[in-house]
Amino acid sequence: MSKSLQTYDTRGERLCLSLTAWNQQDGDRMRAVLMAGGSGTRLRPLTCDLPKPMVPVLNRPIAEHIVNLLKRHRITEIIATLHYLPDVMRDYFQDGSDFGVQMTYAVEEDQPLGTAGCVKNIAELLDRTFLVVSGDSITDFDLSAAIRFHKQRQSKATLILTRVANPIEFGVVITDRDDRILRFLEKPSTSEVFSDTVNTGTYILEPEVLDYLSENQEADFSKDLFPLLLEKREPMYGYVAEGYWCDVGHLDTYRDAQYDGLERKVKLDIAYEERSPGLWVGQNTFLDPTAKISTPVMIGSNCRIGARVQLEAGTVIGDNVTIGADADLKRPIILNGAIIGEEAHLRACVIARGTRVDRRAHVLEGAVVGPLSTIGEEAQVSPGVRVWPSKRVESGATLNINLIWGHAAYRNLFGQRGVSGLANVDITPEFAVKLGAAYGSTLKPDAQVAVSRDQRSISRMVSRSLIAGLMSVGVNVQNLEATAIPLARTIVPTLSIAGGIHVRMHPDRPDHILIEFFDYNGINISKAREKKIEGAYFKEDFRRAQIQEIGNVVYANQVVDIYGTCFEKHLNVEAIRHSSSKVVIDYAYAVSGAVLPQLLAKFGCDAVVLNASLSHTAPNPSDREVLLSQLGHVVEALKATFGVQVSANGEQLILVDEAGSAIRGEVLTALMADMLLVHHPRGTIVVPVNASSAVEQIAHRHDGRVIRTKANPTALMEACHASPNVILGGSGDMGFIFPQLHPGFDAMFCIAKLIEMLTIQERSLGQIRAELPRVCHKTCMVRCPWTAKGALMRHLVETHPIDSLELVDGVKIFNHQHNSWVLILPDAGEPLVNIYANSNDRGWVDETLREYRLRVQEFVNQHQDAEAAKAESQY
């Protein structure tokens, strides 16, 4: 090495290691860079005083396992570029001579430069092909084979890939048949997964790729450099490696890596003697002859295992640990210096350095006890609970919440639309207070947030708890109280606030609560913002306001008047006044009937309201069908212009024409597109990727344009807001967006717009329906385990020509000969795959649905058989 940087800093979040390698087999000098994660926030409390690469796996730091892997492939000169707690790694490895390598150190002093930025910072040392390896994963990949692949392909950047069962936590990559990278997506949602082949954070690069990066600027390989190389058409390949790989990103994967190491699923250098098959024991360790051990088990040096102790297979015990008599240990991970008392029970938990678990205490599945903590006699730490460092649980106490910051966090809070869960079971007042504090902590102190809800008592309870959480972190609240969500989205941009929260019964699950967050424009917040809220929630990192800084609550006035003014501004009021329309509105016991009839009456329309009482419980889907049938009879009897069933707190609707027939789903989407494009030719319509192609046919009639988005509400809102000349967005299933009014779905404005259009165009709903294109659009669902979704999508991509595919959301396969398509779309919330077939040819649709249903079922069966065979062989 020609350069050694040795500056030290104890601040920051990121660590990366850079390496220089001598490959004796190939005979040329090669420089490589090994990068590790930062402070490991999802491994807290283990990483409060350790950088993530120094967390032990099988009693050796993760970084040491990686150094051993590199050494096996003749990589022996290492530069460690540090940022978070740099002294820990420097003190452990020192100059590297004890580990058979040479190590020097450089510190990112001011702020993290990102995965690519820290490598750019030492670019002068990387004058030929170099290797980049993730420093926070356990693997035994054949790095030499990957390097040979890189040289054979004459690649500028080679990403080492692997296949995983659940790819949503990783960067998904797709390659062509020559292994050249075509596309990748960082941490996709479940509906966006198009492959199970993921980026492992291990790369082989040519030095010239660093020329695309600016010096001393934060940059990431996956988010910045690789997309740029793809855009510049630089040769970039993916090498799918065989072998073991585990990203130690969560506490559950941390435990899994230990168990896999014990079961020899991964090749690791173990520090202790194997006294008998599957039993590794360090030096100067005493095992009482009456102890019962089921292998595989690892016990470190200088340990004392007492009489009648039971160690179940999977148990890992560090150095200098004492286990009292009659203790029962089932697969715990116990780190150095811990003391476990007599008759203690440990179940698949993690006991950190220097912790004491007293007599008859219980630490249960998934719990983590931080360094230097004490669990008192006969105390219990419940499943999944985290205890931060240097805490004490009193004797006899039962700890059901994290000590000291609140409940144990779920891995993911947000689903496809907001946060949802069983009312007063998952979504409790305690949960809502913490969620409000997490959201508020991502905003500036003294920010303003609007909170609204539907009229249900459970929604009132949850919204008040959210308000309490927001106030606790110094956020002020504009309380809109019981307000239909279209009104809330309209009001938010007029209040000069940071965003809004709306609480309501879930539109599809009457026993669930749905909490939606939107930004200052009224658009559902982005995935990036969701991740920030989740991060604050998971880390329990809440800002605590001083008494004088506690947020205030004010009650917004004239909400209905402001909405009514906007409502009227975007309608042809004269046309509505002269329409003499009679509309029957069925609220299906879901929302108040006060707002819309009041607005329609102002324009001279006769609105008959049904089922507006809240005395009934929210109806399930079968009840709604009964009410819809009744609505049809009322419309016929009253000779009404049309009927409408409103749901989802004013967002969604089903129409009933003058003959009492329901109009919904794809027919409703096409009908709305036709009405708006007749009035606004050459306009733009935004629909989800799974909508019927009837929309394109209608747009063609009127020189219009169609934009297709991912099949989720946020994508539709963002596209309507960002695209010019949009006159309508949405679908019959999700609702309709009129971006000139506000960016969300609005069934109430849709009803008024229908009256206006029908009057101006002098048509009835039945007439419009008869003139729509005859497109056959059918769908079916197939059960598909979460672990098979990514592999299924990759299989579909690999078995169809690239020019026939569209990967906006799921995998859409076009049949240009029949002007038809089939879409395979993983469900975002359930272990299902949705299959949509669309064509003018009904026979083609039926045959294609049958074919792809069988394809998916066969693939799922084969995948499950393979998984079962793999598990059996490992057993």
Side-chain angles (χ1 to χ4, degrees), residues 90-311:
R90 195 183 75 250
D91 292 346
Y92 184 85
F93 286 102
Q94 298 189 36
D95 65 0
S97 58
D98 290 344
F99 301 89
V101 296
Q102 176 186 331
M103 295 189 72
T104 52
Y105 302 87
V107 176
E108 296 175 79
E109 295 189 42
D110 298 322
Q111 63 179 11
L113 293 174
T115 58
C118 70
V119 178
K120 174 66 174 179
N121 205 34
I122 55 170
E124 63 190 73
L125 305 177
L126 305 171
D127 57 359
R128 60 189 66 191
T129 306
F130 62 95
L131 174 71
V132 174
V133 183
S134 172
D136 53 6
S137 59
I138 296 294
T139 182
D140 56 11
F141 286 158
D142 187 343
L143 301 180
S144 298
I147 294 167
R148 288 194 295 271
F149 171 92
H150 173 84
K151 293 180 177 178
Q152 290 166 359
R153 292 294 195 279
Q154 296 184 328
S155 174
K156 294 292 186 184
T158 296
L159 281 64
I160 297 184
L161 314 175
T162 193
R163 287 173 181 149
V164 298
N166 187 5
I168 64 172
E169 290 289 332
F170 309 106
V172 175
V173 180
I174 185 168
T175 60
D176 63 17
R177 293 177 181 175
D178 295 325
D179 303 312
R180 187 157 183 160
I181 292 175
L182 297 175
R183 183 184 177 196
F184 49 85
L185 179 65
E186 272 295 295
K187 295 187 179 180
S189 66
T190 51
S191 65
E192 295 172 322
V193 171
F194 53 78
S195 175
D196 63 346
T197 306
V198 302
N199 178 5
T200 66
T202 305
Y203 318 123
I204 304 160
L205 305 174
E206 296 301 318
E208 53 264 33
V209 301
L210 298 180
D211 295 340
Y212 287 103
L213 299 174
S214 301
E215 291 187 359
N216 299 317
Q217 288 191 8
E218 184 175 355
D220 184 83
F221 279 116
S222 296
K223 295 178 182 177
D224 302 308
L225 180 59
F226 293 155
L228 187 58
L229 296 179
L230 207 58
E231 178 185 335
K232 298 296 185 181
R233 300 186 180 277
E234 293 281 12
M236 185 161 54
Y237 289 84
Y239 174 78
V240 181
E242 299 296 331
Y244 180 91
W245 178 76
C246 177
D247 175 38
V248 187
H250 301 277
L251 289 164
D252 53 355
T253 56
Y254 174 68
R255 293 193 304 273
D256 289 343
Q258 312 262 5
Y259 302 148
D260 291 343
L262 284 182
E263 294 169 7
R264 300 178 180 175
K265 294 180 181 178
V266 54
K267 181 181 178 182
L268 297 178
D269 295 331
I270 295 179
Y272 310 117
E273 173 192 358
E274 190 172 9
R275 290 194 181 178
S276 61
L279 176 61
W280 292 270
V281 180
Q283 296 179 354
N284 195 32
T285 284
F286 171 77
L287 297 175
D288 190 279
T290 61
K292 297 181 179 179
I293 301 176
S294 300
T295 56
V297 163
M298 173 178 287
I299 305 171
S301 299
N302 305 311
C303 295
R304 296 293 178 266
I305 310 299
R308 298 173 300 283
V309 168
Q310 297 191 44
L311 304 181

Side-chain angles (χ1 to χ4, degrees), residues 11 51 80 237 338 365 396 431 526 539 645 713 832 837:
R11 300 169 297 167
Y237 289 84
E365 292 87 348
F431 172 87
S526 65
K539 291 185 289 186
Q645 186 180 83
L832 299 170

Side-chain angles (χ1 to χ4, degrees), residues 589-649:
Y589 306 114
V591 297
S592 169
V595 177
L596 183 59
Q598 175 184 334
L599 294 170
L600 293 179
K602 183 178 179 181
F603 306 141
C605 294
D606 185 5
V608 179
V609 174
L610 306 177
N611 306 320
S613 169
L614 289 176
S615 59
H616 290 70
T617 58
N620 58 41
S622 60
D623 294 335
R624 284 186 193 167
E625 289 301 312
V626 172
L627 295 176
L628 189 63
S629 176
Q630 294 173 354
L631 174 62
H633 293 311
V634 173
V635 169
E636 279 190 286
L638 295 179
K639 294 183 170 53
T641 309
F642 62 88
V644 58
Q645 186 180 83
V646 178
S647 61
N649 201 17

